[in-house]
Amino acid sequence: MTANEPWSGHYTVNGPIWVTAHTTQFTKPGWYYLGHGTGVGHLPEGGSYVSLVSPDRNDLTIIVETMSHDHSLCIRPSLPHYTVVPQNVTFMLTGEKKSEYFNYLGGIEIVNNRFTLPLDIDELYTLSTIKAAENVYPKPPPSTPFVLPYVDNFQVRNSEKVREPEYLTPQVGYFELIPDPQQLATGITILQQMPLVQPIDWCNVGENPIAVMGYSNDW
């Protein structure tokens, strides 16, 4: 989720949340993964699948993905090259429970405990015996630019809680609003750098604290 406009309340629900929903909306706490070779494995032409079952073994969810290498890159570690091509995959169901359909965005007919799923590149499917909740969420407020000029005296009135300053995004080091130790009776707060030692970083960020304020287009 991207929520980088605290002044407007605008946010966007991005792809990783919907990818997670392919599992979280079709399973419940207590479900467990099946083992490799019995519900978890790789597809013959690239991609993979995992299966989860309910504790009473009455419900089953299968998640199938064919994400390409270019859409699966991570910052670290590097991802070895692999290929994915369109394919038709047949799954065979075994066990005590027999079912005619998995219902999600329509049914899939199972014949002799088998069903075939046509898969293209960069696709993600969930097949389950349970139906997911509606993928709805409150409509976010409209996006608005950061209003300039902006003035902030960093005061927090009638509060004893330590708070972060609004619209200030620490990049190196960390800042908090705390009561002024020299004027505790007044309730005045000050902006203070909290860690006073060089943090452990992943790249060369320099020795001085850095924080940015406002809209990214204005930096």
Side-chain angles (χ1 to χ4, degrees):
M1 176 180 290
T2 300
N4 57 359
E5 295 184 11
W7 54 87
S8 70
H10 178 75
Y11 65 90
T12 57
V13 180
N14 300 323
I17 288 183
W18 299 121
V19 170
T20 303
H22 273 269
T23 297
T24 57
Q25 292 203 20
F26 293 94
T27 59
K28 298 178 181 179
W31 286 46
Y32 59 92
Y33 285 93
L34 296 179
H36 287 266
T38 57
V40 175
H42 291 95
L43 302 176
E45 300 296 335
S48 64
Y49 64 95
V50 296
S51 303
L52 299 97
V53 295
S54 59
D56 59 9
R57 302 182 69 85
N58 284 331
D59 286 301
L60 169 69
T61 289
I62 303 173
I63 301 109
V64 185
E65 62 81 23
T66 58
M67 302 306 297
S68 64
H69 180 272
D70 291 343
H71 289 164
S72 303
L73 295 176
C74 298
I75 297 177
R76 57 180 65 83
S78 59
L79 183 65
H81 183 74
Y82 65 88
T83 58
V84 180
V85 299
Q87 57 192 297
N88 290 331
V89 178
T90 299
F91 293 87
M92 181 174 182
L93 304 177
T94 60
E96 299 177 357
K97 183 175 178 63
K98 296 182 179 180
S99 175
E100 295 181 356
Y101 293 96
F102 289 138
N103 294 314
Y104 181 63
L105 296 181
I108 294 181
E109 186 176 4
I110 299 174
V111 179
N112 295 327
N113 280 354
R114 297 173 184 264
F115 66 90
T116 299
L117 185 66
L119 300 173
D120 207 340
I121 301 173
D122 289 330
E123 292 185 338
L124 178 63
Y125 288 93
T126 295
L127 305 105
S128 180
T129 55
I130 65 174
K131 187 176 181 179
E134 295 292 335
N135 292 333
V136 295
Y137 54 92
K139 183 178 180 180
S143 174
T144 60
F146 189 66
V147 178
L148 296 175
Y150 173 76
V151 178
D152 192 344
N153 60 9
F154 299 119
Q155 297 307 299
V156 181
R157 299 295 184 182
N158 301 321
S159 175
E160 297 179 356
K161 296 181 179 180
V162 176
R163 291 180 51 183
E164 297 181 6
E166 291 182 326
Y167 314 148
L168 189 71
T169 306
Q171 303 297 305
V172 181
Y174 182 68
F175 301 84
E176 285 184 353
L177 295 172
I178 66 169
D180 187 344
Q182 298 180 358
Q183 305 182 70
L184 293 177
T186 64
I188 294 177
T189 57
I190 60 174
L191 183 64
Q192 176 173 297
Q193 179 185 349
M194 304 306 289
L196 301 180
V197 296
Q198 178 74 15
I200 299 174
D201 51 48
W202 291 359
C203 55
N204 184 15
V205 296
E207 299 180 355
N208 297 320
I210 301 173
V212 295
M213 175 177 285
Y215 200 55
S216 60
N217 292 345
D218 298 324
W219 294 346

